[in-house]
């Protein structure tokens, strides 16, 4: 490069600040790459940012620009395709590019900063006055010319250290040098084993039929997307394994996303059986160093199969040719906080497109969005309906809990007469039972019998849940725990009612009805320690207890051969949440758990208890009912132009002051109104849970009808600059966030 030319770089920062800044780069740095981190001056501080553009200009041009302080990464940690993907994510989710880039690096890849003190002039202090501390520092430096700042301070003591350093600096005796280190280039090692000469992954005829178009995509030049709709137990995993092996032997890499950390060991083990230590695991519960190590193995090309949760959508596979999203309907694929608020499932579609990879979305109960996309021809829909090595669809019994309660009291609403009989039958024949109650604690509502007052968490607008195990009231949103009052704080009455059914209450009822039965409860309260989730499922599989009772956690993971009865305690839980996806979620959960009943020869049975058994999502197990349900719910969404028919974007303003949260939302609303151009605006209104962890939250939603890409793109550009404007106007405590395609409506 001509030395009279200066390089200019554009830098973004991992901050909500959504701006690009330019800096001069010393001309001798010719190794700088897109995506590298640099330390630069920003608002009188030194900040770390990412290089997103490099240009060169004539010497005078960059005169007014500030100079880069230090280049941190010796090579870019991102491939060009990855950079393209990250830019897309930033644009689509209206999220600052710097934050997206930071999210794409493993936590263990932080920047290491070191500060050194160096003696530059031995004579600078001649004839000058020393303080005691200055003298100590000076003498130490005379012996060895440079020290790490922290080490020196530690040795001398912090008393008067900073002012002594300042005086020495002023006198020109010393200088302080700050250096950074980050990502080092990894020598490529694409030594991962690819040819797996092992027993054939045998496919049934039904599976082979489904596999044939996938094979076509993997071996052809135009990779496609598939929605694999396969009932529980139809053997989707065999399809995944087969596709992975084919991809590997073609020289490609494979990424498998799973919805929960607890499910990674199971899938990783299954893939490990075939592909050995070529398999890497990535998830947020790993230690920083484990994550970094896995990331580096993948980056080097040593590992070509990655199994991981949401954030592994950023896995640095260099030749990604197959991307699998298992249980694609799961809400956990969406990051709700902090930015970028992305959906790994939706991002997978884009990453597959950029990389030229085959995309495989798998589910027993696909999301409405994916069903819609399949219908529109965006994915090829493939159905796997035969239960692999299993008996027919289980028999369903619907129980009206209201009638049970009238007949036999509240305890019959927990375990109905029929469910009790069925449990007794299965226990006596040595079979196992799964019971679902998607609510933890003992009782989700503590209410005064006299005045109706319900105890609420003071920091959140959420009623306390009574926990029998700890005899306390817990807030399930912020974790606050407090003693149960002995009288109503409103009217002084001592008669408090514990209403509703939590898992602990079901557990107690079971022990009353079946004193000798071995029950394992599985919810967030029993699975807080590492691997406990996995251990419970494993113990159940081994037959260490008879009944597995739990929240939605029990819906997935491990196949249980010996389970022949599934009971759903209150199928309505969650059905009346103010969320347009409430019935879809209810339907999915019930279908998943119901699908666990039955084994090779003995058909399973499912007892569904509900206060509203005629509700469609509650009747939706079995293939025909599923189809009916999808049709009905699709119609409803279309009528309201809710997703997948329209695009929903939620703006939220939050503050510890209710008024300022409200004013923030009003401001957003007024700007949106100007640019909404006929799109539906909802709000400003408080969030369903208005106060959460002491902060008030107000929202404005915009529903963009139709999803025409070009118009959406224009709209988003406007929205983005609007966000910048509003953020500038807002007071400090006020936070503003934007969520594109939100999943959590509460
Ligand atoms: Zn709880
Ligand atoms: Zn009261
Ligand atoms: Zn709370």
């Amino acid at each position: 490069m001509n030395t009279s030319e200066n390089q200019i770089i554009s830098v973004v920062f991992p901050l909500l600040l959504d701006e690009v800044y330019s800096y001069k780069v010393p001309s001798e740095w010719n190794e700088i790459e897109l995506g590298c981190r640099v330390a630069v001056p920003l608002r009188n501080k030194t900040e770390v940012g990412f290089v997103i553009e490099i240009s060169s200009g004539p010497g005078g041009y960059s005169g007014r620009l500030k100079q880069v302080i230090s280049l941190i990464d010796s090579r870019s940690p991102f491939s060009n395709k990855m950079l393209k993907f990250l830019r897309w994510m930033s644009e689509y989710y209206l999220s600052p590019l710097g934050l997206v880039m930071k999210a794409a690096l493993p936590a263990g890849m932080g920047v290491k900063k070191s500060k050194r003190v160096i003696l530059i002039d031995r004579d600078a202090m001649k004839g000058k006055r020393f303080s005691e501390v200055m003298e100590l520092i000076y003498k130490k430096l005379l012996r060895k010319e440079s020290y790490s700042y922290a080490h020196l301070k530690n040795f001398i003591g912090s008393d008067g250290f900073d002012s002594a350093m300042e005086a020495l600096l002023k006198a020109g005796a010393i200088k302080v040098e700050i250096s950074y280190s980050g990502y080092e280039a990894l020598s490529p090692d694409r030594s991962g084993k690819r040819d797996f000469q092992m027993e054939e992954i045998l496919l049934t005829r039904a599976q082979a039929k489904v596999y044939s178009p996938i094979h076509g995509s993997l071996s052809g030049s135009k990779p496609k997307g598939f929605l694999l709709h396969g009932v529980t137990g139809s053997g989707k995993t065999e399809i995944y394994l087969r596709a992975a092996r084919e991809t590997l032997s073609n020289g490609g890499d494979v990424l498998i996303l799973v919805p929960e950390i607890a499910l990674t060991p199971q899938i990783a083990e299954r893939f490990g059986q075939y592909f050995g230590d070529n398999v890497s695991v990535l998830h947020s519960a790993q230690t920083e160093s484990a994550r970094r190590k896995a990331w580096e193995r993948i980056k080097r090309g040593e590992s070509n199969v990655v199994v991981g949760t949401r954030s592994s959508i950023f896995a640095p596979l260099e030749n990604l040719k197959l991307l699998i999203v298992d249980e694609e309907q799961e809400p956990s694929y969406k990051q709700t906080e902090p930015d970028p608020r992305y959906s790994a499932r939706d991002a997978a579609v884009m990453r597959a497109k950029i990389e030229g990879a085959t995309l495989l979305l798998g589910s027993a109960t696909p999301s409405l969005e994916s069903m819609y996309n399949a219908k529109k021809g965006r994915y090829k829909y493939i159905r796997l309906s035969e239960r692999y090595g299993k008996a027919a669809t289980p028999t369903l019994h619907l129980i009206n809990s209201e009638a049970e309660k009238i007949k036999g009291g509240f305890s019959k609403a927990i375990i109905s007469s029929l469910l009790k009989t069925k449990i007794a039958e299965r226990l006596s024949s040595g079979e196992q039972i799964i019971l679902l109650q998607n609510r933890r604690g003992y009782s989700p509502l503590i209410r005064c019998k006299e005045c109706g007052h319900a105890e609420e968490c003071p920091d959140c607008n959420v009623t306390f849940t009574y926990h029998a195990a700890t005899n306390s009231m817990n807030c399930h949103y912020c974790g606050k725990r407090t003693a149960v009052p002995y009288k109503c704080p409103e009217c002084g009455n001592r008669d408090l009612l514990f209403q509703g059914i939590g898992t602990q209450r079901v557990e107690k009822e079971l022990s009353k009805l079946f004193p000798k039965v071995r029950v394992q409860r599985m919810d967030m309260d029993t699975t807080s320690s590492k691997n406990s989730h996995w251990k419970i499922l494993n113990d159940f599989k081994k037959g260490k207890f008879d009944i597995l009772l739990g929240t939605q956690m029990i819906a997935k993971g491990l196949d249980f051969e010996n389970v022949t009865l599934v009971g759903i305690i209150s199928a309505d839980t969650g059905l009346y949440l103010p969320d347009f996806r409430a019935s879809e979620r209810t339907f999915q959960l019930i279908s998943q758990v119901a699908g666990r009943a039955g084994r090779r020869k003995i058909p399973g049975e499912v007892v569904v208890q509900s206060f509203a058994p005629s509700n469609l999502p509650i009747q939706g197990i079995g293939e025909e009912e599923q189809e009916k349900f999808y049709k009905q719910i699709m119609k409803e969404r279309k009528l309201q132009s809710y997703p997948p028919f329209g695009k929903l974007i939620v703006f939220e303003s939050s503050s510890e002051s209710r008024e300022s949260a409200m004013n923030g939302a009003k401001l957003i609303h007024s700007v949106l109104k100007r640019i909404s151009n006929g799109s539906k605006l909802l709000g400003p209104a408080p969030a369903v849970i208005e106060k959460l962890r002491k902060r008030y939250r107000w929202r404005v939603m915009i529903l963009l009808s139709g999803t025409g890409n070009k118009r959406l793109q224009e709209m988003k550009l406007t929205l983005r600059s609007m966000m910048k404007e509003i953020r500038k106007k807002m007071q400090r405590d006020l936070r503003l966030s934007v969520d594109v395609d939100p999943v959590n409506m509460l």
Side-chain angles (χ1 to χ4, degrees), residues 519-553:
V519 180
Q520 172 67 51
R521 179 162 56 84
M522 184 174 189
D523 53 32
M524 255 163 74
D525 301 315
T526 62
T527 52
S528 52
S529 67
K530 211 184 159 195
N531 294 328
S532 49
H533 189 129
W534 185 233
K535 188 177 179 304
I536 291 177
L537 293 181
N538 246 324
D539 285 352
F540 187 53
K541 193 179 169 92
K542 284 184 201 147
K544 289 194 180 166
F545 40 91
D546 313 301
I547 299 180
L548 178 64
L549 156 71
T551 55
Q552 40 82 26
M553 275 182 189

Side-chain angles (χ1 to χ4, degrees), residues 242-539:
R242 187 69 173 257
R245 197 186 59 173
E246 184 166 347
T247 305
L248 283 171
S249 63
N250 291 344
D253 299 337
V254 182
L255 174 59
I256 303 119
L257 299 184
V258 293
E260 277 170 50
I261 291 168
L263 298 176
T264 45
Q266 184 194 347
I267 299 262
E269 202 181 294
R270 197 73 205 281
F271 276 77
Q273 278 170 15
Y274 288 92
F275 311 121
D277 54 13
N278 197 324
V279 179
S280 285
V281 171
L282 277 179
H283 58 72
S284 56
Q286 286 170 310
T287 62
E288 282 191 5
S289 76
R291 284 202 97 176
R292 181 177 178 147
K293 247 183 223 153
W295 191 91
E296 287 179 349
R297 273 192 75 208
I298 300 161
K299 179 80 178 165
R300 266 202 302 271
E302 223 181 298
S303 163
N304 311 98
V305 182
V306 176
V307 178
T309 48
R310 182 173 64 219
S311 62
S312 45
I313 189 62
F314 302 114
L317 293 160
E318 300 270 317
N319 191 28
L320 184 59
K321 287 294 170 235
L322 174 65
L323 213 168
I324 297 169
V325 183
D326 192 28
E327 309 276 5
E328 62 83 23
Q329 81 288 351
E330 281 300 311
S332 56
Y333 280 125
K334 172 83 177 175
Q335 166 133 329
T336 45
E337 237 189 324
D339 263 41
R341 293 167 157 83
Y342 65 97
S343 150
R345 193 253 338 260
D346 296 344
V349 179
M350 188 45 70
R351 183 147 188 220
K353 199 170 156 192
I354 291 171
E355 304 268 358
T358 293
L359 173 73
L360 202 50
L361 304 177
S363 176
T365 51
S367 64
L368 217 61
E369 281 85 353
S370 294
M371 284 299 248
Y372 178 77
N373 283 331
K375 226 176 167 180
K376 288 269 151 186
R378 286 180 199 133
Y379 316 133
K380 187 172 166 47
Y381 177 80
I382 39 182
R383 179 90 206 230
L384 196 55
S385 43
E386 194 176 285
R387 272 162 64 104
Y388 179 63
K390 278 211 173 187
T393 309
T395 323
L396 173 73
H397 309 274
L398 270 177
I399 302 291
N400 186 333
S401 302
E402 191 60 46
E404 287 286 316
K405 192 173 140 191
I406 292 166
K407 222 164 49 192
F410 191 67
S411 63
K412 283 275 181 266
I414 304 176
I415 310 266
S416 62
S417 310
L418 182 77
L419 183 56
K420 185 185 161 192
T421 314
K422 296 281 174 197
I423 291 175
E425 271 173 35
R426 301 298 169 166
L427 286 176
S428 68
S429 57
E431 288 154 24
Q432 287 173 299
I433 298 148
I434 286 181
L435 297 177
L436 170 79
Q437 176 58 2
N438 200 17
R439 206 157 218 182
R440 66 196 171 100
Y442 184 87
S443 142
L445 193 61
I446 304 163
R447 197 184 273 287
C448 167
K449 197 176 178 183
E450 198 58 43
C451 74
H453 166 82
E455 279 293 296
E456 246 183 34
C457 170
D459 297 339
C460 315
N461 289 135
V462 173
T463 57
F464 272 126
T465 295
Y466 174 64
H467 278 235
T470 47
N471 191 26
S472 62
M473 305 193 298
N474 300 9
C475 172
H476 282 185
Y477 283 81
C478 72
K480 198 180 193 79
R481 188 191 275 194
T482 166
V484 183
Y486 65 93
K487 60 180 186 186
C488 170
E490 290 293 310
C491 73
N493 169 48
R494 294 183 180 221
D495 220 350
L496 298 178
L497 301 172
F498 294 84
Q499 296 182 324
I501 307 165
T503 46
Q504 295 179 359
R505 191 168 207 165
V506 180
E507 190 180 23
K508 194 176 167 203
E509 190 63 27
L510 281 171
S511 69
K512 253 194 269 171
L513 296 174
F514 307 99
K516 278 191 207 134
V517 77
R518 297 168 303 167
V519 180
Q520 172 67 51
R521 179 162 56 84
M522 184 174 189
D523 53 32
M524 255 163 74
D525 301 315
T526 62
T527 52
S528 52
S529 67
K530 211 184 159 195
N531 294 328
S532 49
H533 189 129
W534 185 233
K535 188 177 179 304
I536 291 177
L537 293 181
N538 246 324
D539 285 352

Side-chain angles (χ1 to χ4, degrees), residues 146-160:
S146 103
Y147 271 99
S148 104
Y149 194 95
H151 179 96
L152 200 59
K153 190 168 182 173
N154 203 8
F155 184 82
I156 307 281
S158 56
D159 240 17

Side-chain angles (χ1 to χ4, degrees), residues 36-155:
C36 279
R37 285 171 295 183
V38 284
V40 290
L42 178 74
R43 295 171 177 169
N44 302 322
K45 282 201 323 209
T46 302
E47 294 278 358
V48 172
F50 292 93
V51 178
I52 58 158
E53 219 181 287
I54 304 167
S55 57
S56 51
Y61 174 75
S62 57
R64 276 170 44 245
L65 295 177
K66 287 183 178 153
Q67 183 138 340
V68 171
I69 296 168
S70 166
L71 174 62
I72 295 169
D73 299 313
S74 67
R75 294 297 305 271
S76 174
F78 306 110
S79 70
N80 284 337
K81 281 178 178 167
M82 182 57 82
L83 284 170
K84 195 172 171 192
F85 173 63
L86 300 178
R87 277 178 202 274
W88 166 82
M89 183 175 277
S90 160
E91 277 163 27
Y92 185 85
Y93 291 104
L94 304 175
S95 189
L97 182 56
L99 285 174
V100 175
M101 292 174 88
K102 189 183 174 206
L105 290 178
M109 277 258 297
V111 175
K112 280 162 203 75
K113 183 175 166 183
S114 61
K115 210 169 164 185
R116 290 194 78 78
V117 183
I118 299 160
L119 183 67
I120 47 171
D121 187 352
R122 290 173 166 265
D123 304 323
M125 294 308 292
K126 261 193 186 146
K128 287 188 183 143
R129 288 191 55 197
F130 277 93
S131 75
E132 206 178 310
V133 181
M134 279 167 80
E135 199 166 343
L136 278 171
I137 297 172
Y138 193 67
K139 277 190 176 152
K140 191 123 177 92
L141 284 166
L142 278 176
R143 252 171 277 143
K144 189 183 153 206
E145 283 183 0
S146 103
Y147 271 99
S148 104
Y149 194 95
H151 179 96
L152 200 59
K153 190 168 182 173
N154 203 8
F155 184 82

